[in-house]
Amino acid sequence: MNEENKSNYYAIIPAVVRYDDELTDKAKLLYGEITCLSNKEGYCFATNNYFANLYHCTSRAIQIAISKLQERGYIRVVIENSYQRKIFLTDSLGYEKNFVGRYEKSFIGGGEKNFTNNNIKFNIDDLFNFIINNSNKVPTKFYNILNRLDFLYTQEILDIMQKDKIQMLKEIIYILYDLYNSKFCNLLSQVNREKLVNLYILAQEHSPRDLLNYYKKSIINEYSSNKRS
């Protein structure tokens, strides 16, 4: 393809994408290209053929990579007018708001607050009640994670806990369950109770618009950085 058709913006591939074992090298490289092409308009509208020509592969290979990036929660694909595709970076990585500048509102869209619970079919209170009552609606593997972290409490203990501590516990568990459903299994094997609580307190101190989203990003960034180092 002609050199003048290639974007001159920098590509960004954050640690959480670079070290995601579920992604192929091609998918990671494609993610970087999408960040590059999203800089101008706040989204990428390049076709599969464009990417295929750029990276000397088939359109089918590109589609598989895009589907995997979407499945992992790194991009959001929107089809408009039955034919035009727009690829948005999700807000899961923590840097995009500065990256897209004045296109922030159109980039984030209406799904920002829904991002953290897009993999959970229960609300926070329902999930917590299921766990307290040892419901089989919650996977055994997730109970094992909570048990390792000492986040399993009896109702008797909860009855004497302060309300703000219970709310913190609910929200930490909720985000852990979101990470579990988002296939961050390697990350969850590294987390420890003290760090999770400290990250939650720090998130509260920043008073973000969406505490749960901010907290989830903090966990991902913290443990991705640990893996990189």
Side-chain angles (χ1 to χ4, degrees):
M1 65 185 303
N2 295 332
E3 289 295 324
E4 59 269 20
N5 290 333
K6 297 179 181 179
S7 175
N8 291 322
Y9 293 108
Y10 287 107
I12 300 175
I13 309 178
V16 67
V17 174
R18 292 198 306 273
Y19 299 115
D20 190 331
D21 294 335
E22 296 292 323
L23 297 179
T24 64
D25 291 343
K26 187 180 297 297
K28 296 173 184 178
L29 188 61
L30 181 61
Y31 178 87
E33 192 68 29
I34 291 170
T35 69
C36 179
L37 295 173
S38 296
N39 204 306
K40 184 177 180 181
E41 301 293 339
Y43 59 86
C44 169
F45 54 82
T47 65
N48 288 351
N49 285 336
Y50 171 88
F51 289 125
N53 289 331
L54 185 64
Y55 293 118
H56 308 292
C57 62
T58 65
S59 295
R60 174 61 178 164
I62 295 296
Q63 183 56 50
I64 291 173
I66 287 176
S67 296
K68 193 64 177 179
L69 286 169
Q70 183 170 224
E71 175 188 323
R72 299 294 291 162
Y74 301 131
I75 62 173
R76 178 168 59 90
V77 178
V78 176
I79 306 296
E80 293 186 348
N81 301 324
S82 300
Y83 70 92
Q84 185 178 16
R85 181 182 69 184
K86 293 182 179 180
I87 303 174
F88 294 85
L89 303 175
T90 70
D91 64 339
S92 61
L93 305 176
Y95 69 85
E96 298 86 356
K97 290 183 180 180
N98 292 328
F99 177 63
V100 296
R102 63 190 178 90
Y103 295 99
E104 176 185 348
K105 291 184 179 179
S106 60
F107 164 63
I108 296 298
E112 179 185 8
K113 291 191 175 181
N114 291 329
F115 175 78
T116 36
N117 62 355
N118 63 353
N119 289 304
I120 304 181
K121 59 184 177 180
F122 313 123
N123 63 38
I124 291 177
D125 290 330
D126 285 345
L127 176 63
F128 193 64
N129 287 330
F130 288 147
I131 289 171
I132 291 173
N133 294 296
N134 198 30
S135 169
N136 59 11
K137 292 183 179 181
V138 178
T140 300
K141 289 183 178 179
F142 187 67
Y143 280 117
N144 292 339
I145 292 171
L146 296 182
N147 185 53
R148 178 178 67 81
L149 295 169
D150 290 328
F151 280 140
L152 291 178
Y153 291 84
T154 64
Q155 186 61 58
E156 289 75 16
I157 295 177
L158 293 172
D159 287 341
I160 61 175
M161 285 180 66
Q162 297 178 353
K163 289 184 178 180
D164 61 330
K165 300 301 182 185
I166 294 177
Q167 186 61 31
M168 178 180 71
L169 179 63
K170 287 182 178 182
E171 294 183 347
I172 290 176
I173 289 176
Y174 187 76
I175 292 305
L176 290 176
Y177 195 53
D178 188 9
L179 290 168
Y180 175 85
N181 283 302
S182 300
K183 311 301 182 185
F184 282 94
C185 295
N186 289 336
L187 183 152
L188 290 175
S189 68
Q190 302 174 55
V191 298
N192 66 73
R193 178 191 177 89
E194 181 179 3
K195 177 64 70 174
L196 289 172
V197 172
N198 288 339
L199 287 174
Y200 182 89
I201 293 171
L202 287 173
Q204 282 187 316
E205 290 176 352
H206 282 85
S207 300
R209 180 176 58 180
D210 188 334
L211 175 62
L212 294 185
N213 241 340
Y214 188 95
Y215 180 53
K216 180 178 179 179
K217 294 174 192 176
S218 298
I219 296 172
I220 293 173
N221 291 337
E222 173 71 21
Y223 286 95
S224 295
S225 297
N226 289 344
K227 186 173 182 180
R228 178 176 56 184
S229 60

